[in-house]
Amino acid sequence: MFGRIGRFVVLRPWVTISAWLIAAVALAVLAPQLKSTSDQAEFLPSHYESVQAAKAQERAFPQHEQPAAIAVFRRGDSKTLTDADKAAVAKVSAGLQAKGLDLIKRVESSPDAVSPDGTVALAQVVATVKDPYDPALGESVKKLREEAKSLLVGTDLSLGFTGQAASAVDAKEASGDTDAMIMSATLLLIVVLLLLIFRSPLIAVLPVVIIGMAFVVATGLISTAVELFGLKADGSISAILIVVLFGVGTDYILFLLFRYRELLRGGQDPKQAMISTVALVGETIASAAGAVIVAFLALLLSTMGMLRTMGPSLAISVAVALVAGLTLVPAVFSLLGAKAFWPSKAWRKEPKNVLAGRIGGLAAKRPGIVAGVTSAVLAVLAVGVLSFHAEFDGDSSLPQNTESVQAMKDLQRGFSAGQTDPTTVYLEQRDGSALDPARLEAFRAALGAVDGVASVSPATPGAGGGIAQYSVVLKFKPTEDKALSLVSGPLRDAAHGAAPEGARALVGGTSAVLADISTAVNRDYKVVFPAAGLAIMLILGLLLRSLVAPLYLMVSVALGFAATLGATVWLFQNGAGEKGLLFTLPIIVYLFVVAIGTDYNILMVARLREEIGAGRSPREAVRRAVTATTPTISAAAVILAGTFGVLMLAKNSMLQQMGFAVAFGILLSAFVMAMLLVPTLTSLLGRHAWWPGHRTTLPTTAGDRGPGAGPGGPGSGATGSGTSRTDDRTLV
């Protein structure tokens, strides 16, 4: 099949290129804009209590207002606020209100918004939109900060803004333009590394152009799917799409170009060499892409809408990269032929690959020692997983000198930490009748008696009197672990237990949402990971026609996953002293290390199968496969790891964690698992690795004359005439 695909696109290159151009232009013009949301509550299923609480609010309190930000006033000398200071607080708040900034409904202070010790005063910034992460709201918060400077002149007050909207502004500024940074770094790495590897400006630039076209097509298809099926895309999907398409797309291009160069060096005609390349590498690329696609589609089993929508989007992008690798890339390079390598002439000579040869020789001669040492290293790193602690407090990743962090510290000196974002509790009469006032007060008393609750507001009746709302201020910051544990445990237990007969209690708000997300994520780990593992094993089994090889490949992948996560724990929790790691980090490592990193294992075992199919002994097959594939895997891994490594330059520690984990995991997958662990395990198992033993049809070189001796080079499978013969033999 892949030979037929290669023949079609190589012999009709302009048809293929024109089809891609038409698709890119049509989707760029006609596809709807990709919408996104950062409201995590929208991604939880309806059966979670925090979602039900939000729906109760919409029914009974449609005009409910929650401050998007909090203005925190204090004296410069930190002393008690005087009457003049309090008057200045009211004047500054009124002045900010008078500015009439977009999406700012009002800025208001009240006499009772002063801390019990009299050192801190607050003013609420109420927005006209519910989403505190709205970019336009963020711009207004920045303007509030600027306008406040002139209003404070002549007073003894200092002012800082905190709360969700202010924290979102600081997070964005701390991380910088992440998409632009990732895109720039990716393009630079691809161009520079390809230029160093192939010494050709055309090969350095063409992959960027090709993948750029694929990016346009993928984005258009994703936005169309989102529009047609009513899906939502998480706000971070664009940055992830950049990395996936450029990382995976470059991998597939390198898989093709290295084999194409190998066949050209062996004497094949350029067009036939490209046809043979697609025939030989097509199955490997399709299998690698298939493994990544099913891993991403496994996210459909998640209860988290964020992950469910991310899965199909990423699967579409990888599918586009696969189609581009099998059609657009061969078509473009078939037009150029050997001129693609201009002005370099080094491609004509068989590279010495000294280091790759030594690695291959070591893996072949000492498979037991190499497998033992690499497994031990991975196991030691994996121990760190036992200390993994999920962190839901996004503000903890911000630099300590940001305004929202400093303002929060000032607020906590005078108020309970939960003052900025109270938990909301709803008491609803199931039959819709009015609630008894006496029972409402008894319910409030039960909530106030919970350890960790600072205060509970009187009940606010909703429309019809069948629902009442309580504002519960916690003693803890809404996003920290203590708040999540309190809300998901004692507070919900007390609310449910104190609900009068015929009524139900619902606990909502930020802490409740994050607590439910924690429950959903833990459930997803137990469902998504095994499902993806089984799907990848099935693809490996079909590729290798073996039951044993997929088993030890997935064991090595699981060990690599644990080692990656463990190393990140060692570095950031134990080394840098972070309280915890990004709660989605295991999913991120799964997406990019397990799914995409499996590409390198597939490339290696496919070459091992090819060498074994040529009749070589397991150890000789290991030596030749490692020597031949090491340059390809190294180049692909360095580009992908480097792309993520750029995130470590960000000031946001969450981005630093993500950047390190994925970059380290990719390098681990390539240089430890694919080059050392997988081939040595294959060598140790020998013929048993391919059990139950089967017959296969493989293209082989005429006479199988070894590296440089025959037209096809090491295991290339090409004959000097540009045709191939098949040799039916058992893989043993």
Side-chain angles (χ1 to χ4, degrees):
M1 180 182 74
F2 296 104
R4 290 194 294 271
I5 293 174
R7 187 173 301 279
F8 178 87
V9 299
V10 168
L11 298 181
R12 299 172 181 81
W14 287 114
V15 173
T16 304
I17 295 171
S18 299
W20 273 93
L21 285 171
I22 292 171
V25 172
L27 287 169
V29 174
L30 301 177
Q33 185 178 3
L34 183 62
K35 299 177 182 179
S36 64
T37 178
S38 298
D39 186 356
Q40 300 301 324
E42 295 185 24
F43 293 123
L44 281 170
S46 59
H47 67 269
Y48 281 97
E49 185 171 331
S50 60
V51 177
Q52 295 176 17
K55 292 180 177 179
Q57 175 190 311
E58 292 174 0
R59 292 196 306 272
F61 303 92
Q63 303 301 319
H64 172 75
E65 295 178 341
Q66 186 75 12
I70 300 288
V72 183
F73 295 86
R74 68 176 181 85
R75 288 180 57 87
D77 56 12
S78 298
K79 293 182 179 179
T80 303
L81 296 171
T82 65
D83 290 340
D85 293 329
K86 295 175 184 178
V89 168
K91 183 178 179 180
V92 171
S93 299
L96 293 174
Q97 168 72 33
K99 298 298 180 181
L101 298 178
D102 291 342
L103 304 187
I104 301 297
K105 187 174 185 178
R106 63 178 182 274
V107 181
E108 60 179 5
S109 63
S110 60
D112 58 350
V114 178
S115 63
D117 62 3
T119 61
V120 179
L122 305 180
Q124 293 187 346
V125 179
V126 179
T128 59
V129 293
K130 291 184 178 181
D131 185 5
Y133 303 99
D134 188 302
L137 177 59
E139 290 299 318
S140 293
V141 170
K142 287 196 284 187
K143 291 179 181 178
L144 282 176
R145 287 173 168 173
E146 289 298 319
E147 297 290 351
K149 293 178 182 178
S150 60
L151 294 173
L152 289 170
V153 174
T155 73
D156 295 322
L157 299 174
S158 65
L159 167 61
F161 289 88
T162 189
Q164 290 185 328
S167 296
V169 170
D170 290 341
K172 183 177 180 180
E173 292 181 348
S175 61
D177 193 340
T178 305
D179 285 9
M181 180 174 63
I182 291 177
M183 178 68 84
S184 301
T186 302
L187 295 179
L188 182 63
L189 280 168
I190 291 174
V191 171
V192 171
L193 287 175
L194 290 179
L195 192 60
L196 290 174
I197 294 168
F198 293 99
R199 303 176 188 176
S200 166
L202 280 174
I203 292 183
V205 174
L206 279 177
V208 173
V209 176
I210 291 170
I211 299 171
M213 188 182 299
F215 179 78
V216 173
V217 172
T219 304
L221 290 175
I222 291 167
S223 61
T224 302
V226 168
E227 186 76 15
L228 289 176
F229 299 105
L231 302 175
K232 292 176 182 176
D234 179 60
S236 63
I237 190 67
S238 59
I240 296 176
L241 282 178
I242 292 170
V243 175
V244 169
L245 266 171
F246 279 87
V248 172
T250 303
D251 280 3
Y252 299 161
I253 291 175
L254 287 173
F255 292 177
L256 287 164
L257 289 182
F258 271 95
R259 185 56 74 94
Y260 179 53
R261 185 177 66 175
E262 186 178 320
L263 296 180
L264 285 177
R265 187 184 296 127
Q268 281 201 26
D269 169 79
K271 287 190 178 294
Q272 180 58 46
M274 183 55 75
I275 294 172
S276 299
T277 296
V278 176
L280 287 164
V281 185
E283 184 180 23
T284 301
I285 294 177
S287 300
V292 178
I293 289 171
V294 297
F296 287 158
L297 289 179
L299 293 176
L300 289 170
L301 300 175
S302 169
T303 57
M304 291 278 290
M306 175 183 67
L307 299 179
R308 286 201 310 273
T309 56
M310 184 186 294
S313 298
L314 296 178
I316 290 172
S317 68
V318 175
V320 171
L322 168 63
V323 176
L326 295 179
T327 59
L328 185 58
V329 175
V332 170
F333 281 94
S334 69
L335 290 174
L336 297 172
K339 294 179 182 178
F341 298 96
W342 181 88
S344 173
K345 297 181 181 179
W347 65 271
R348 300 175 185 273
K349 300 178 182 179
E350 184 75 31
K352 295 181 180 180
N353 289 340
V354 176
L355 181 59
R358 290 178 179 174
I359 295 174
L362 177 64
K365 293 178 182 178
R366 300 285 187 273
I369 295 176
V370 173
V373 171
T374 53
S375 297
V377 170
L378 293 174
V380 170
L381 292 174
V383 172
V385 173
L386 300 176
S387 304
F388 174 77
H389 175 71
E391 177 61 66
F392 290 85
D393 184 4
D395 292 350
S396 67
S397 66
L398 292 175
Q400 293 301 300
N401 61 353
T402 56
E403 182 174 324
S404 60
V405 173
Q406 292 298 319
M408 176 59 73
K409 290 181 179 179
D410 291 337
L411 183 150
Q412 290 175 344
R413 292 189 183 102
F415 292 92
S416 296
Q419 187 77 34
T420 59
D421 192 1
T423 293
T424 49
V425 179
Y426 299 90
L427 187 62
E428 180 179 20
Q429 194 71 32
R430 295 183 184 277
D431 59 7
S433 61
L435 290 160
D436 181 10
R439 291 186 174 183
L440 290 177
E441 189 58 32
F443 184 77
R444 178 193 178 201
L447 296 179
V450 176
D451 187 24
V453 171
S455 64
V456 182
S457 69
T460 302
I467 298 181
Q469 174 186 278
Y470 299 84
S471 181
V472 181
V473 176
L474 307 181
K475 295 180 180 179
F476 314 112
K477 190 177 178 181
T479 54
E480 68 176 303
D481 291 343
K482 291 181 180 179
L484 271 60
S485 298
L486 173 61
V487 167
S488 62
L491 183 59
R492 275 183 174 162
D493 291 343
H496 297 164
E501 184 177 354
R504 68 167 181 168
L506 299 170
V507 179
T510 299
S511 300
V513 169
L514 292 178
D516 288 343
I517 286 177
S518 177
T519 301
V521 168
N522 290 332
R523 176 264 178 197
D524 290 348
Y525 291 160
K526 300 174 184 177
V527 175
V528 175
F529 289 177
L534 290 173
I536 293 174
M537 283 180 64
L538 178 61
I539 289 178
L540 290 172
L542 293 174
L543 170 67
L544 303 174
R545 285 81 166 175
S546 166
L547 295 178
V548 175
L551 291 174
Y552 70 79
L553 283 173
M554 288 309 300
V555 169
S556 68
V557 167
L559 187 57
F561 169 83
T564 299
L565 199 56
T568 310
V569 171
W570 288 117
L571 179 62
F572 287 93
Q573 280 187 209
N574 301 333
E578 299 283 352
K579 292 187 297 182
L581 302 181
L582 180 65
F583 74 95
T584 55
L585 194 62
I587 291 288
I588 292 170
V589 172
Y590 155 77
L591 288 175
F592 295 106
V593 176
V594 175
I596 297 178
T598 301
D599 285 3
Y600 309 133
N601 286 338
I602 289 177
L603 181 65
M604 179 61 73
V605 295
R607 189 64 180 240
L608 281 168
R609 173 176 170 268
E610 187 177 323
E611 297 292 346
I612 290 287
R616 298 184 176 90
S617 67
R619 293 198 176 189
E620 177 61 13
V622 165
R623 185 189 68 79
R624 294 171 66 92
V626 172
T627 302
T629 56
T630 290
T632 309
I633 293 174
S634 300
V638 168
I639 289 175
L640 188 57
T643 299
F644 275 98
V646 174
L647 294 178
M648 296 184 68
L649 300 176
K651 297 179 181 179
N652 188 309
S653 67
M654 295 297 185
L655 291 177
Q656 293 172 358
Q657 294 169 18
M658 185 191 307
F660 171 81
V662 177
F664 182 79
I666 290 294
L667 295 176
L668 205 65
S669 298
F671 291 96
V672 177
M673 289 185 289
M675 292 184 193
L676 297 174
L677 185 58
V678 169
T680 52
L681 289 176
T682 304
S683 178
L684 290 172
L685 289 171
R687 69 177 62 188
H688 301 295
W690 311 104
W691 186 86
H694 53 279
R695 301 178 69 81
T696 187
T697 300
L698 289 172
T700 60
T701 60
D704 192 21
R705 287 166 286 188
S716 66
T719 65
S721 63
T723 61
S724 63
R725 66 178 178 86
T726 57
D727 184 17
D728 199 20
R729 63 184 70 202
T730 302
L731 296 185
V732 291

